[in-house]
Amino acid sequence: GSSDLGLLANNLVAFVNEGQQPSGSDPLAKVKIMIQDMVDKLKRQAADEAEHKGWCDDQLAKNKIAQETADADIKKYSAREVKLRAEIAQLDEDIIDVTAALNETKTKRAESVKLRLEEKASNEEAIEDSSEAIDAVEAAIKVLKDYYAQNGDDVDLLQVHQSAIASPTGVIGMLEVVKSDFARLLDKTQKAEQSAADSFRATDLETNVTIAQL
């Protein structure tokens, strides 16, 4: 660089100030050697600087590529983050909706179970009452048949509504009709209870499946 050139100039000045040179010697020989040494040194420095510059340029290129790759990754992951946040928000809304639907379904099922239990209790009570009534009528018919079998056509004990029950056949016939009515009621109630139970089981199964899926 400039310092080397300055050193060369100083050496040249010193050489001129030396005065007489030995006879027969080349007065520029020493200068040529000094200049050649300086040129060689400058070439080596230039080569070193060129090599260092090449390394720097290579590093800068690599850093630029790395920065561009990093920027692209940042954009990609930022977009993915935005998408995931949107999906999370949607899932939060879905959870709220599903939870509300689940609570509503459970509430309706609880009401359905309560009504079914009340219906079952009512039907079982009606079935029991009908069965007891049939047993009571059958017992009464038996008592009357036994009585008439022992006393013939004597109906003195049955003066109330005598026109409707003027004979043992009329009394027993009336009781048979009552028994038949209770039997029909019993059969109807039993079938209604069975149908209600089957319907409830099917509906409750569907409800439980729905709850399990929510």
Side-chain angles (χ1 to χ4, degrees):
S2 58
S3 61
D4 293 328
L5 294 175
L7 179 61
L8 176 60
N10 291 332
N11 289 334
L12 290 173
V13 171
F15 172 74
V16 171
N17 292 332
E18 284 182 359
Q20 298 294 328
Q21 299 296 321
S23 150
S25 63
D26 183 0
L28 297 178
K30 188 175 182 180
V31 174
K32 291 179 180 179
I33 293 172
M34 293 174 61
I35 291 174
Q36 185 62 46
D37 290 343
M38 187 60 62
V39 169
D40 292 340
K41 184 177 180 181
L42 291 175
K43 285 182 178 180
R44 288 194 300 271
Q45 290 180 347
D48 291 341
E49 290 178 0
E51 182 180 358
H52 182 69
K53 182 178 184 300
W55 180 85
C56 290
D57 291 343
D58 182 61
Q59 292 300 313
L60 288 174
K62 290 180 178 178
N63 290 338
K64 182 179 180 182
I65 293 174
Q67 183 63 47
E68 291 174 350
T69 301
D71 291 342
D73 289 340
I74 290 173
K75 289 181 180 179
K76 179 176 68 175
Y77 290 118
S78 296
R80 184 176 297 178
E81 180 185 8
V82 172
K83 180 181 179 182
L84 289 175
R85 287 184 180 277
E87 291 177 353
I88 291 172
Q90 183 60 52
L91 288 175
D92 288 339
E93 292 181 4
D94 292 343
I95 289 173
I96 293 174
D97 293 340
V98 169
T99 301
L102 178 60
N103 291 335
E104 182 181 1
T105 301
K106 286 183 176 180
T107 299
K108 289 183 178 179
R109 180 180 182 276
E111 293 175 354
S112 177
V113 170
K114 179 176 178 293
L115 292 175
R116 173 64 195 128
L117 291 176
E118 293 175 352
E119 181 185 35
K120 181 180 180 182
S122 177
N123 286 337
E124 288 178 346
E125 183 179 2
I127 290 172
E128 183 179 359
D129 291 343
S130 296
S131 297
E132 291 178 353
I134 290 172
D135 292 341
V137 172
E138 287 179 342
I141 291 173
K142 184 177 183 306
V143 169
L144 287 175
K145 285 183 176 180
D146 291 343
Y147 175 80
Y148 290 128
Q150 295 175 4
N151 297 279
D153 294 334
D154 187 1
V155 291
D156 291 339
L157 296 178
L158 301 172
Q159 295 300 318
V160 179
H161 305 301
Q162 186 172 1
S163 61
I165 51 174
S167 67
T169 302
V171 174
I172 294 175
M174 182 184 65
L175 292 176
E176 290 286 359
V177 170
V178 172
K179 175 186 173 182
S180 177
D181 290 341
F182 278 121
R184 281 195 299 272
L185 178 60
L186 175 62
D187 181 66
K188 180 180 179 181
T189 306
Q190 287 174 331
K191 289 180 179 179
E193 169 59 22
Q194 185 62 51
S195 177
D198 293 342
S199 177
F200 175 78
R201 277 193 295 270
T203 302
D204 195 52
L205 177 61
E206 292 180 359
T207 301
N208 286 330
V209 170
T210 301
I211 291 174
Q213 292 175 343
L214 291 176

